[in-house]
Amino acid sequence: MASSSKWSKKKRWRSQVIVGGEESSIDRLSDLPDGVLHHILSFLDTKCAVRTSLVSKRWRFLWRDVPALNFSRSVCKRTAFAEYIRNLLSLRSNDAPVASITFNFVYSWMVQPDMHLFDRIMKYAADSRRNGGHGLDHLSIAHAVCEIRFGMLAASIAAHHRESIKTLKVTKSDLDSGSGFGLGFSFLTALELRGCWLYTGREKLPVDPFAGLPCLNYLKLFNCSATSLVFKITGPQLLDFQIQKESHTSEKIEVFAPKLKSFRYSGFITELVKLSAPSLDWADIRIWWDPMKIEELELHCKYMKLLGELHNAKSLCLRFADIYDKSGPPKSREEQLSRLTSTPKIWEEDEFPLTSMKSLMESEASPFTRLKTLRVQYPQAPPKTPSEVINYFFERSPHRVGGKSVKFEKRKQMMKQRWLYV
């Protein structure tokens, strides 16, 4: 009898751990409503979410109703992935909605996908809409090494989720401007492309791949290139546009976005031919200043032209980082880390961007007519800013210069070139 009482006390102690007078984090997490737990599990890989069924009886079937399917590199081989998908879809709840699907692979399934299997996943997500769900809202497709043939997948995506899908993220993909986005994603509001290559029929013809997305509000282009020399961005409803270039490219960018509020550019300087954004409120320009690869005068002229296209901005943030390394990309992680921790070249007083361009700014009229605030960040403490620079930005602005409206400062963390490894 005593042993039985001792065992029951031990069992109760294991089931409810007390730490500092409070229950353990697992017990407190289990007390949350199912909807909150489903939201938490939606951030995990689906395979990890299934493993949470071993936590307790309370968690045994929670994964079956998670509104997100996240397939990562842990299940990327073709045969294993096909069997995994069949088992997963058969064990999920019949009325469980699917609002988000993420594919993140390293190996070859996504490069040469099993279209029957991919279509089955898309159809399963579409069927969940008939069972009370709102349909597939978010889709993310990424391959860490090879380029995805997105044109093969786009037809199946559009066939089942033409009107429901709102956000799309594609990484490492080859996109054909004739088939990649011309398949009726008319309700898409957010698009993010990373490391993508956009093909056009001819090099001299401009490419405008997003003209068929009338509801697009948010667009991110990270390290994307096109075969055309003129890259057009047409967004009648575009509110936020972010672009990043980590390599020198020759294409010219032309933007038509009458409702654009925020524009962010990061990387090596490129030629912004036209920025038609009369409602622009905020612009953040982060340039990797590299006079070793481009002649200094040409670099100054390109930057002045870039500033001229930002003439409608109310708030302007300009950030600079110098790159003086001619040895090319690092060959290993060790070399990458050594470059990140190395001491950068110290700029002389007359080498600071904007300071070295004061003669150009003095000779040209200011393009800014709405500018309220200006913030400039350098990799080291800047010298006293020449009056020609201040006049260039605020000569035609009706807002008073003083106080916090103009600020030249040193960046807390120097922006350096990043090299991506898998």
Side-chain angles (χ1 to χ4, degrees), residues 67-68 97-101 128 135-139:
V98 179
S100 173
I101 298 180
S128 70
L136 184 63
D137 291 331
H138 172 75
L139 176 63

Side-chain angles (χ1 to χ4, degrees), residues 260-412:
L260 188 68
K261 297 293 183 182
S262 172
F263 175 72
R264 286 172 286 181
Y265 181 85
S266 174
F268 290 102
I269 193 166
T270 189
E271 188 169 354
L272 186 63
V273 177
K274 185 70 176 177
L275 178 62
S276 180
S279 302
L280 187 64
D281 288 338
W282 178 66
D284 186 353
I285 309 298
R286 307 183 182 190
I287 293 297
W288 294 342
W289 204 249
D290 189 9
M292 291 293 186
K293 292 187 177 180
I294 303 178
E295 292 293 334
E296 189 173 12
L297 180 60
E298 181 184 356
L299 191 60
H300 290 173
C301 293
K302 281 188 174 183
Y303 197 80
M304 291 290 290
K305 189 173 183 180
L306 176 63
L307 291 178
E309 295 300 327
L310 301 172
H311 62 276
N312 286 317
K314 288 184 178 180
S315 297
L316 188 60
C317 183
L318 307 177
R319 312 179 191 216
F320 297 94
D322 53 343
I323 301 173
Y324 292 91
D325 195 345
K326 290 184 175 182
S327 58
K331 306 298 187 298
S332 63
R333 287 184 179 271
E334 290 73 16
E335 185 179 350
Q336 180 187 17
L337 292 174
S338 65
R339 291 193 190 182
L340 292 175
T341 56
S342 61
T343 304
K345 181 182 182 297
I346 303 300
W347 279 347
E348 300 295 335
E349 183 172 341
D350 58 348
E351 290 180 337
F352 279 81
L354 300 188
T355 300
S356 58
M357 290 187 286
K358 64 180 181 179
S359 58
L360 288 175
M361 292 183 173
E362 189 177 15
S363 61
E364 295 187 12
S366 174
F368 299 97
T369 57
R370 304 169 66 218
L371 192 63
K372 290 183 178 180
T373 60
L374 172 66
R375 186 177 185 182
V376 182
Q377 293 184 340
Y378 291 116
Q380 66 191 72
K384 184 178 179 181
T385 305
S387 59
E388 294 88 348
V389 176
I390 303 297
N391 293 335
Y392 175 79
F393 287 99
F394 287 94
E395 183 181 7
R396 298 175 58 193
S397 176
H399 304 285
R400 182 179 179 182
V401 178
K404 296 183 179 179
S405 59
V406 181
K407 192 172 185 179
F408 289 75
E409 61 186 359
K410 176 183 177 181
R411 291 199 62 190
K412 293 182 180 179

Side-chain angles (χ1 to χ4, degrees), residues 182-197:
L183 296 173
F185 296 108
S186 55
F187 293 91
L188 195 68
T189 59
L191 175 64
E192 180 176 336
L193 301 180
R194 291 179 176 267
C196 294
W197 184 263

Side-chain angles (χ1 to χ4, degrees), residues 62 95 111 151 174 227 244 250 257 277 328 355:
L62 279 175
D95 56 348
V111 180
D174 292 338
T227 56
Q244 178 175 310
S250 58
T355 300

